[in-house]
Amino acid sequence: MRAQLLSADRPAGIVETVDALTVVNIEPTAAIAPSADLILWSRLGWPYQPADLARLVEEDRAIFEWGGFYRTMADLPLLRPEMAVRPQSREAREWLTANAVFRQEVLDRLRADGPLRPPDIPDTAQVSWRSSGWTNNRNTLQMLEMLVLHGDVAIAARDAGGRLFDLAERVYPSDAPALAPEDAARERAERRLTSLGIARAKSIAQPVEPVDVASVGEEAAVQGVSGTWRVDRAALADLDRFAPRTALLSPFDRLVFDRRRLEDLFEYEYLLEMYKPASKRRWGYFALPILHGDRFVGKLDAKADRKSGVLVVNAIHEDTPFDLSTSEAVHHEIRDLARWLGLEVRGLPEA
C-alpha cells in the first residue's frame, strides 16, 4: 500500500506521484473519469486537477506519454534502448520497410506543420496495413503509432479531439543520457519493484510494461501462496509507518491491473466488465475496486451523469458485510469523489 502511495500520507504533487508509481495508465474510458485522472486523484485527493497534468505534459514537458502510460521525463533514458528495437513484430517491421517513402513523408509533414492529428496527414502508404481489427487500412495512424514506439515521433498533447503528434525532438529533451540496454532494463525492473513493493520474478507477458521484475530485489515467500516472489527490502523496513485509509481505485490502477497477483496477495476477485453484455455483469460496467486499509472490501458500481450533474450510485457490492466504520469510510470517499467531479451524489444508501 505504501509503495503504491495508498497510505494516509499523501504525496505532494503530480510529478512525485507518477515518479513513485513509474507508470500511470491512460485508458480514456470516462464512465466516471479517465483512468489517469482517477489514479492521480486516488493518491493526491482534492489538490489534483486534470488541467495540471495537461500543463506538465504539454508545457513543462515533465511528463510524457509512451506505450499507453504517462511517465516522468526523467525515465526517458530507461526507455530509449527499448524504443530502438520497436516495433518488435516481423509483420510491423516488414510493413515499415515497404512504406519507407510514406514514413519519410509523415516525418516531413510533422516537421513542416506539427503537431498534427492523424487525419491532418495524407495517407500515401505504398502498402496498406492489414488487420482483422479496427486498425485495418488506417495507415497514417498505424505509422504514427509505430514511430512513437520507435522514438522518432512523440505525443505532444491530448484534447477533446484526441492526440496530437509531433517530432520527438520537439517533445523530448536532447541531452538525455544514453544507457546500455541491460543497464536500462535492470533499472526499470528496480523501479518497478519499488513501486509495487512485492512482485513475481516472472509473470504473464505484457505488450509494453511488464508486471514482473526478474532477479532484482530479494527472494521472498508469501504464506499460503505458491511460488516465490521478489520483495523490495527498503519497503519492508518501513512497514510500521503504514497509516491506513480508504480509496476508490480505477480498474486500470497498477495495484489491481495484475489480476493473478491481486488474488494471490489480497484474495480479491475482480474483473473489468465493460466488455461483457449487461446481463452477464456481476458488479457493473465500470465498477471501482474499494480499498479499505490493507484490504479490498468490495466494488462501487457508479456512473458520472454530467448532463444531470450527478454521480449515480447503482450499487456498492460488499464482498463481506461492512461494519459501520467501513461503511462510513466508503460513503465518505464516494462523496469526496463526487465533489471532486463537481457532481451531486444520487442513490447512495444509508451507512
Side-chain angles (χ1 to χ4, degrees):
M1 301 299 102
R2 290 195 67 249
Q4 281 286 296
L5 306 182
L6 287 166
S7 69
D9 301 322
R10 293 181 184 263
I14 296 172
V15 176
E16 176 186 331
T17 302
V18 178
D19 181 63
L21 299 179
T22 68
V23 293
V24 170
N25 190 287
I26 309 179
E27 165 60 42
T29 300
I32 296 175
S35 185
D37 293 328
L38 272 177
I39 291 168
L40 292 170
W41 171 78
S42 67
R43 273 67 177 185
L44 291 159
W46 275 87
Y48 173 71
Q49 294 299 322
D52 295 330
L53 174 62
R55 174 180 53 77
L56 288 166
V57 173
E58 299 169 18
E59 298 176 21
D60 298 351
R61 301 299 190 200
I63 293 173
F64 73 105
E65 175 178 342
W66 188 80
F69 297 92
Y70 287 122
R71 309 161 188 269
T72 62
M73 195 63 80
D75 277 351
L76 177 64
L78 304 182
L79 292 167
R80 280 298 195 186
E82 183 170 345
M83 290 177 175
V85 298
R86 292 274 181 171
Q88 295 177 326
S89 75
R90 185 182 68 178
E91 179 185 22
R93 287 179 171 276
E94 289 177 349
W95 187 77
L96 282 178
T97 299
N99 283 289
V101 174
F102 177 39
R103 175 177 184 167
Q104 189 58 52
E105 288 173 346
V106 169
L107 292 172
D108 290 345
R109 185 62 181 266
L110 288 176
R111 187 173 301 281
D113 301 320
L116 297 171
R117 304 183 205 287
D120 299 330
I121 302 174
D123 177 359
T124 59
Q126 288 75 52
V127 177
S128 288
W129 176 258
R130 297 303 178 196
S131 167
S132 59
W134 69 276
T135 61
N136 185 60
N137 203 37
R138 296 193 175 205
N139 299 313
T140 301
L141 176 61
Q142 196 67 10
M143 178 60 74
L144 289 168
E145 297 277 20
M146 291 185 187
L147 293 178
V148 168
L149 283 177
H150 191 63
D152 294 329
V153 169
I155 297 166
R158 279 179 177 259
D159 60 19
R163 293 173 296 172
L164 287 156
F165 297 80
D166 205 347
L167 295 179
E169 65 196 54
R170 293 176 179 159
V171 177
Y172 299 155
S174 59
D175 57 351
L179 297 178
E182 58 273 16
D183 294 335
R186 181 170 184 83
E187 188 170 343
R188 282 183 71 191
E190 288 172 346
R191 284 185 41 68
R192 192 177 311 122
L193 181 58
T194 299
S195 74
L196 295 172
I198 183 170
R200 292 282 190 183
K202 290 188 66 177
S203 189
I204 298 172
Q206 301 294 321
V208 175
E209 192 64 28
V211 294
D212 50 33
V213 295
S215 61
V216 303
E218 296 187 26
E219 186 174 302
V222 177
Q223 186 174 356
V225 180
S226 62
T228 59
W229 298 75
R230 308 298 295 186
V231 67
D232 176 17
R233 174 59 64 179
L236 290 178
D238 287 338
L239 288 180
D240 59 345
R241 292 177 54 199
F242 176 69
R245 67 179 176 93
T246 303
L248 305 173
L249 302 185
S250 163
F252 298 94
D253 196 287
R254 218 47 189 165
L255 189 60
V256 302
F257 185 80
D258 184 345
R259 310 296 194 225
R260 179 188 170 193
R261 176 180 184 266
L262 187 62
E263 290 197 39
D264 283 345
L265 295 182
F266 296 97
E267 298 181 333
Y268 180 70
E269 182 185 3
Y270 178 78
L271 290 172
L272 177 60
E273 298 180 305
M274 69 182 189
Y275 305 109
K276 287 186 175 184
S279 61
K280 295 185 177 181
R281 294 174 190 150
R282 297 168 60 189
W283 305 305
Y285 175 81
F286 200 74
L288 305 186
I290 302 173
L291 178 69
H292 181 63
D294 61 359
R295 296 184 303 120
F296 285 96
V297 297
K299 295 92 179 170
L300 170 65
D301 178 12
K303 181 178 180 179
D305 184 345
R306 291 172 176 81
K307 289 185 178 179
S308 300
V310 295
L311 177 67
V312 181
V313 177
N314 297 313
I316 300 174
H317 300 281
E318 303 176 11
D319 287 4
T320 56
F322 292 177
D323 59 24
L324 180 59
S325 64
T326 300
S327 184
E328 289 177 343
V330 171
H331 285 210
H332 181 271
E333 196 68 11
I334 293 170
R335 293 189 185 96
D336 267 359
L337 173 61
R339 282 194 293 268
W340 174 67
L341 293 169
L343 305 174
E344 298 292 329
V345 181
R346 179 187 295 170
L348 187 64
E350 293 294 325

